[in-house]
Every structure is written in C-alpha cells, then in structure tokens.
Amino acid sequence: MTTTTTGTALDPSDLINFDALLSSEELALRQQVRQFVAENIKPNIATWYEKAVFPLEIVPEMAKLGLLGMHLEGYGCAGRSAVEYGLAGAELEAGDSGLRTFVSVQGSLAMSAIYKHGSEEQKQQWLPQMAAGEAIGCFGLTEPTAGSDPSSMTTFARRDGQDWVLNGTKRWIGLANVAKVAVIWAQTDEGIRGFVVPTDTPGYSATPIEPKLSMRASIQCEIELSDVRLPADAVLPHVTGLKGPFSCLNEARYGIIWGSMGAARDAFEDALAYSQTRMQFDKPLAGYQMTQQKLVDMALEINKGFLLALHIGRMKDAGTLDLHQISVGKLNNCREAIEICREARTILGGNGITMDYSPLRHANNLESVRTYEGTDEVHTLILGNKLTGVPAFR
C-alpha cells in the first residue's frame, strides 16, 4: 500500500534533496494538499475507480483549499504561483489523475478562458462561483474528427439577428454533464470564437462516454449542440482564432508536467514499500540486484522529472518561458511516468493487477494524460519544428 511522507522528511524517491529548492510557503502548500489527498482521496480512490464514479462531494473541499483557479488573481481565486499550482497538481495526481484533471479542466481551461478572454461581466458572473466550487465548468474544443487538428472543427456559430446559434458535436469533454457552464469553441464567419454557454440552454446535451479503461474516476462526455441560441454577449470578446483555446491548453499542459510525476512517485512508493516486505527465497525483494536496479532507474527519472517541472515553473513565474518548453516537459514527463508505473507494477507481481496497489491504475490513467492536451506526436513535432525550423504537421 502507498506510504505517506511528512512535509519535512525526504520523499522515498528523493535522491537529491529536492525540497531544498522550495520555499517554506511552497512546502507548506504541498503538505496541505498532500494531507488532503491522504485523508480524502487515497482511502476512497479504489472504489471510485472500480465503480467509475467522480466524487462531486469533494469539489467544495477542493474549493476551500483554494485549488480551483488557484493560479488566477481576484474573483475569489487564490492567486498562487505557477510552482505552487504545479506542486498541488503533483499531489492531486498522486491520488489519481482524474482528480487532478478536474482541477485542470475547471481552472486551467474553463476558468482561464473566461479570465483571459472574457468580458468583465462574464468574469464577475462566473469566476467567483467557479472558484467556490458552486459551478463546475467544462471546455469544449475537441470533436469526434478534430482532435490534434482543432482547426478542422465543424461546430459552427452563425449570427441570427443579435443572437448566435450554435450547432455541432464535441467529444472527450471533461465534466460536461455536471457542468453549469461550458466554454465552447466554434467556427464563425469571422474565425474561431469562444462562447460562454450555460448548460441549461435549450439544445445543449452531454452524454458520458462509457465504459472506459482509463480515467475511470473522472467524467468525459460527448456534447451535442442543436440550435443552441445565445445572446450577443455570450461570445468571449477579446480573442479570435486558435490562439484563444491554445492559451488555455498551455496552462493545462503545464499542470500535466507536474501531475504525471506525482503519479509516478506514488507508483514508485508502492513498489518500494512492497519490495521491502515481500519475502522470496528467504529475503525481501528489495535485497535483489534486479529489484534495486528497477528502483534506482525509477527514482532517477522521478528526480529528473521534478527538476524539469520546477525549472519550467520558475520560468513561468518569471515570465521567461517559451511555449516549446511546455512541450519538453509534457512529452518527457508523461512518457517517463508511464514507464515508471509499468515498471513499478512488475515489482508487485500478480498483486499489482489488484486495486490494492496504485501503479497499474496510474499507468492506465496516464494513457489518457499522454493523449490529451497534445499527443506525444504533436509535442514531438512542436519540438522538431523548434530544432529544425521546418514545420512537419502536414
């Protein structure tokens, strides 16, 4: 079973005294979220995952911790730094990717879209209640045939007098059936625009995608938009084109850099603890050279992954981050986290396929994390373009 560590002792995987790089405020925030996860998520996650339930009842508790839109300023948001947001994301994903994904969809996608591109009226209407957990938001960009290439979306918003009328389909949209507000991106005669859509608007419907082998303690939906009529002021006024949704996706991608390493660390801790107590041939698994090599290799990648996340977070806070650097973190840390979780499962043997241990659950979840907010292939091409100066997307 997963072990719990204190805020002052080094994590079992920490070979470099990573905590020495963090401020007392950052350590305190991390410990607060870690305690929340230990008390509220880890005791329940096996049941939630097995029953494919997203625990709506913990949303208000997350809001009390300031986790919803925590990197935004004002409107009831916590105004935390990028590094603090990342540390919180790592702790949440050590619990489960589905819970960290909720915080990302709410804060980095839906709230960020309104915060970055919305009118003051839209911000005042939605952000305070979203920060308080009184309203859940979703972010409708991906479509059944438009994933990695959102420019090919077919959802269309046409003007009808002073109103807008939306028609189309969105797919793999987190929390869409429990959301109170949806940010929907659509083609228009003037380019791609974002719309703030109350989900009780006639013509909006969301259906959960089931069954799933990954992200089971989360909700993903298909949204149908059938003659959804909106007033003129429903449009996000301050952005046109894909730079709107991409600015939000980059916020979510940044969170994944940290979150994926949180899942990897938790899987490692399960494997380490198991190896120290599981006896084979009259000694613990931890006493075998092959086991130690696995543990060392996993710990090294976790250390490197967190160093990369911290470096990117410090640059983000300083305003010096280049967008391709987010791709470096997302591509590397997701790829390594999946391998760590799979390797951790091998140490657990047959017991590793049960819900008593976290590695295989994390590995399954990370298949989704690896795919959303840009696949490995998309981030590889972003970095390939950076290295060569030659775009290879088409």
Side-chain angles (χ1 to χ4, degrees), residues 85-249:
Y85 174 62
L87 289 166
E91 296 308 318
L92 288 169
E93 196 143 351
D96 191 75
S97 298
L99 281 300
R100 200 271 310 154
T101 294
F102 162 70
V103 169
S104 178
V105 169
Q106 181 84 343
S108 292
L109 294 178
M111 292 177 71
S112 281
I114 296 170
Y115 184 87
K116 291 172 180 282
H117 309 304
S119 66
E120 187 58 32
E121 292 75 17
Q122 290 167 336
K123 295 176 187 179
Q124 292 289 352
Q125 179 181 2
W126 290 110
L127 293 180
Q129 54 179 318
M130 294 174 81
E134 297 166 0
I136 291 174
C138 67
F139 186 87
L141 178 64
T142 300
E143 297 186 359
T145 58
S148 294
D149 180 18
S151 66
S152 66
M153 72 173 68
T154 59
T155 297
F156 196 86
R158 61 177 175 84
R159 289 189 181 272
D160 184 18
Q162 294 298 309
D163 293 344
W164 292 92
V165 179
L166 274 66
N167 283 281
T169 304
K170 298 294 182 180
R171 187 167 174 82
W172 296 115
I173 310 305
L175 289 305
N177 68 324
V178 295
K180 189 174 180 179
V181 61
V183 176
I184 301 292
W185 301 92
Q187 299 277 8
T188 73
D189 288 332
E190 57 199 55
I192 291 172
R193 302 298 301 271
F195 296 85
V196 179
V197 182
T199 58
D200 60 359
T201 306
Y204 174 99
S205 65
T207 305
I209 299 169
E210 297 173 334
K212 297 178 297 179
L213 299 175
S214 176
M215 298 290 285
R216 291 178 56 79
S218 181
I219 305 171
Q220 284 75 40
C221 296
E222 183 160 293
I223 295 175
E224 291 290 342
L225 304 159
S226 180
D227 290 330
V228 174
R229 182 173 291 272
L230 301 169
D233 61 3
V235 71
L236 294 173
H238 299 310
V239 72
T240 300
L242 284 174
K243 63 183 178 181
F246 282 175
S247 69
C248 305
L249 289 176

Side-chain angles (χ1 to χ4, degrees), residues 35 41 47 72 87 169 175 178 186 189 226 239 249 261 298 311 315 327-328 353 373:
Q35 191 68 30
I41 295 178
T47 299
L72 305 179
L87 289 166
T169 304
L175 289 305
V178 295
D189 288 332
S226 180
V239 72
L249 289 176
M261 281 295 110
M298 286 188 281
H311 178 56
M315 288 191 291
S327 291
V328 173
I353 71 167
E373 325 300 15

Side-chain angles (χ1 to χ4, degrees), residues 333-342 363 366-367 370:
N333 283 11
C334 279
R335 190 161 60 189
E336 294 303 324
I338 289 176
E339 292 305 314
I340 289 166
C341 293
R342 290 172 178 166
L366 286 166
E367 292 292 345
R370 192 177 191 174

Side-chain angles (χ1 to χ4, degrees), residues 279-311:
M279 302 296 293
Q280 290 292 286
F281 304 105
D282 300 321
K283 69 176 182 179
L285 289 177
Y288 290 94
Q289 291 180 2
M290 293 180 69
T291 303
Q292 290 193 8
Q293 180 178 5
K294 291 179 180 182
L295 292 168
V296 168
D297 288 346
M298 286 188 281
L300 288 174
E301 294 306 323
I302 292 168
N303 280 261
K304 289 189 284 184
F306 273 117
L307 283 174
L308 176 59
L310 181 62
H311 178 56

